[in-house]
Amino acid sequence: MNKRLRQVGVVLVTLVSLGAAAPVTTADAATWHKGLPKIIRHKMYRTKFNHKYGYLDYDWYKGTKSVLTTHRPQSGAALTISNTKYKKVGKTYVVKGVDKLATARNKYSGHPGKAYGYYRIRKVSQKKIKIAEGKKAQGSKYVTVQRFYHYPKVNGHAWK
């Protein structure tokens, strides 16, 4: 019996010492993760329709695996950031990506190198998020956007 207890004790000490020596891996919230966060990946969001100026005005955002696109249909502008990375800061996701338009503009103005675009995203509910451009709070204000599945129709035509 004494020999058996000694064997069990040796096995337990060995297991405990190996367990303490094993590396512990944890997710670090301050590190940049590749792609977009799940709250915007493979989804489309739009602002409320604004009829203030006599025409249908709104912005919409579309996220894929690593590209975030902002469309402004009235001005015909589409801003795209690719090769995105994100990190979570408190309840806010900071998304960083290469802004193709700004990179091209810098190239022709004599400032070679990549230009980065930043967005701040905060989840409000299952179908609503708040999104703002810029890295820090001094940037633009948050805009509440809601998820949609089909493009709105104007005079019977889908308006993208």
Side-chain angles (χ1 to χ4, degrees), residues 2-16:
N2 196 12
K3 186 176 180 181
R4 182 80 172 149
L5 280 173
R6 199 175 303 146
Q7 287 175 344
V8 170
V10 169
V11 169
L12 285 175
V13 168
T14 306
L15 287 175
V16 169

Side-chain angles (χ1 to χ4, degrees), residues 34-60:
K34 190 174 182 182
L36 285 173
K38 286 184 179 181
I39 61 172
I40 198 157
R41 188 183 314 151
H42 304 298
K43 296 178 177 93
M44 294 186 294
Y45 291 91
R46 67 167 174 81
T47 59
K48 287 184 177 181
F49 294 126
N50 187 359
H51 297 283
K52 181 178 178 180
Y53 304 109
Y55 54 83
L56 190 63
D57 183 27
Y58 69 101
D59 297 343
W60 61 275

Side-chain angles (χ1 to χ4, degrees), residues 63-130:
T64 62
K65 185 176 180 179
S66 63
V67 176
L68 179 62
T69 306
T70 304
H71 290 272
R72 294 189 170 99
Q74 282 300 316
S75 64
L79 307 171
T80 302
I81 59 170
S82 60
N83 301 332
T84 57
K85 299 175 184 178
Y86 72 93
K87 69 178 178 179
K88 191 168 184 180
V89 180
K91 294 181 180 181
T92 304
Y93 290 97
V94 177
V95 178
K96 169 187 175 181
V98 177
D99 187 349
K100 292 181 179 181
L101 183 63
T103 301
R105 198 175 8 200
N106 287 350
K107 179 181 175 184
Y108 292 112
S109 66
H111 298 78
K114 295 180 181 178
Y116 292 96
Y118 291 88
Y119 284 90
R120 298 180 320 275
I121 302 170
R122 186 177 286 180
K123 184 176 180 178
V124 174
S125 69
Q126 194 70 16
K127 296 189 177 195
K128 289 185 180 182
I129 62 172
K130 288 187 174 196

